[in-house]
Amino acid sequence: MGNSTSSQSVTPALREWVVAQATAGMGVQKILQAMLEAGWQQAVAVQAIEDTLRVHLSQQAIEARLPPAVPVPRVPLDGSPLYLDLGDRRVHIISHMQKPPIVVIGGFLSDEECALMVEAARPKMARSRTVDTQTGGEELNDARTSSGMFFSRGQNEIVQRIEARIARLLSWPVENGEGIQVLHYHPGAEYRPHYDYFNPAEPGTPSILKRGGQRVGTFLMYLNEPDKGGGTTFPDVRLEVAPKRGNAVFFSYDRPDPSTQSLHGGAPVIAGEKWIATKWLREREFT
Ligand code: PD2
Ligand code: ZN
């Protein structure tokens, strides 16, 4: 932490050092003394310590009021790979964003796998219900005008194959996932922006959480291509993912809070129809 230049600019590294010293229990006087010995001018040092600790403490206060952050599933993106070999299939990385963590994956499913999923789901489709966090039961919902069905985990060969592929991609146990849901949208149908985690303030949430804890990630697979519309939107970051057959979008949320910026929706289908499959990942084994 030397500083002998005349400009004496307060860098992020210096701020980190100040926070580290304070966190380790060093008093403000001791921090100031160390900076003066390293050649900082008194006025610059005092201002830097004050500003840094004020921002740090207010961030801590905000954090303290939020639900605690938990580990989430991740796509291994270190080294910015173009392709990932998932054993039975090589998929490619189209794009990714850090905050919120969103990854768009190309070629996650073959056209044949998409068709198998639609045909397995088609006979069982009914108007979509969402989990009612008032009661923990299910309800019809105007915000979601699609129809849908759930497979149970491992229900058939194609579901097993896809679940195992998701588990390998995310290094997240198959057991920590809900059954895959398939949704079908006609023109005009949409899924208005929402969070996939269960709102901790709602009375039905504790009973929902008994079956594996919170949702921590959403893996959404496009099973066909609408002619127009039907993208998946992330309004907080003004992103829209195009619904291309076989592609997938994965996003995670490390606490059940809007600060995760995980708000997302299914834009209205304008022409054609849209089929998707969704796998929600839980903190623990989903029972
Ligand atoms: O169909 C979609 O794009 C969509 C959008 C938002 C699906 C879901 N949420 C979901 O299944 O949670
Ligand atoms: Zn959703």
Side-chain angles (χ1 to χ4, degrees), residues 191 194 196 264:
Y191 195 173
H194 59 274
D196 281 354
H264 65 285

PDB file of all heavy atoms in Angstrom, residues 191 194 196 264, ligand 2:
ATOM      1  N   TYR A 191     -46.985 -14.746 -20.442  1.00  0.00           N
ATOM      2  CA  TYR A 191     -46.747 -14.985 -19.021  1.00  0.00           C
ATOM      3  C   TYR A 191     -46.137 -13.689 -18.510  1.00  0.00           C
ATOM      4  O   TYR A 191     -44.985 -13.385 -18.814  1.00  0.00           O
ATOM      5  CB  TYR A 191     -45.799 -16.183 -18.851  1.00  0.00           C
ATOM      6  CG  TYR A 191     -45.731 -16.782 -17.472  1.00  0.00           C
ATOM      7  CD1 TYR A 191     -45.020 -17.959 -17.255  1.00  0.00           C
ATOM      8  CD2 TYR A 191     -46.366 -16.193 -16.381  1.00  0.00           C
ATOM      9  CE1 TYR A 191     -44.941 -18.533 -16.003  1.00  0.00           C
ATOM     10  CE2 TYR A 191     -46.298 -16.767 -15.127  1.00  0.00           C
ATOM     11  CZ  TYR A 191     -45.580 -17.937 -14.946  1.00  0.00           C
ATOM     12  OH  TYR A 191     -45.488 -18.493 -13.703  1.00  0.00           O
ATOM     13  N   HIS A 194     -42.696 -11.867 -13.636  1.00  0.00           N
ATOM     14  CA  HIS A 194     -42.859 -12.417 -12.284  1.00  0.00           C
ATOM     15  C   HIS A 194     -41.496 -12.907 -11.815  1.00  0.00           C
ATOM     16  O   HIS A 194     -40.541 -12.975 -12.600  1.00  0.00           O
ATOM     17  CB  HIS A 194     -43.851 -13.593 -12.313  1.00  0.00           C
ATOM     18  CG  HIS A 194     -43.401 -14.685 -13.220  1.00  0.00           C
ATOM     19  ND1 HIS A 194     -43.680 -14.687 -14.565  1.00  0.00           N
ATOM     20  CD2 HIS A 194     -42.614 -15.790 -13.013  1.00  0.00           C
ATOM     21  CE1 HIS A 194     -43.131 -15.740 -15.132  1.00  0.00           C
ATOM     22  NE2 HIS A 194     -42.455 -16.429 -14.208  1.00  0.00           N
ATOM     23  N   ASP A 196     -39.650 -16.305 -10.053  1.00  0.00           N
ATOM     24  CA  ASP A 196     -39.931 -17.729  -9.885  1.00  0.00           C
ATOM     25  C   ASP A 196     -39.751 -18.190  -8.439  1.00  0.00           C
ATOM     26  O   ASP A 196     -40.296 -19.220  -8.043  1.00  0.00           O
ATOM     27  CB  ASP A 196     -39.044 -18.576 -10.813  1.00  0.00           C
ATOM     28  CG  ASP A 196     -39.569 -18.594 -12.249  1.00  0.00           C
ATOM     29  OD1 ASP A 196     -40.669 -18.051 -12.494  1.00  0.00           O
ATOM     30  OD2 ASP A 196     -38.876 -19.152 -13.115  1.00  0.00           O
ATOM     31  N   HIS A 264     -38.825 -11.766 -14.807  1.00  0.00           N
ATOM     32  CA  HIS A 264     -38.802 -12.250 -16.195  1.00  0.00           C
ATOM     33  C   HIS A 264     -40.223 -12.593 -16.617  1.00  0.00           C
ATOM     34  O   HIS A 264     -41.081 -12.852 -15.773  1.00  0.00           O
ATOM     35  CB  HIS A 264     -37.890 -13.470 -16.320  1.00  0.00           C
ATOM     36  CG  HIS A 264     -38.426 -14.632 -15.554  1.00  0.00           C
ATOM     37  ND1 HIS A 264     -38.355 -14.702 -14.181  1.00  0.00           N
ATOM     38  CD2 HIS A 264     -39.093 -15.731 -15.953  1.00  0.00           C
ATOM     39  CE1 HIS A 264     -38.957 -15.804 -13.773  1.00  0.00           C
ATOM     40  NE2 HIS A 264     -39.420 -16.450 -14.822  1.00  0.00           N
TER      41      HIS A 264
HETATM   42 ZN    ZN B   2     -40.984 -17.795 -14.711  1.00  0.00          ZN
END
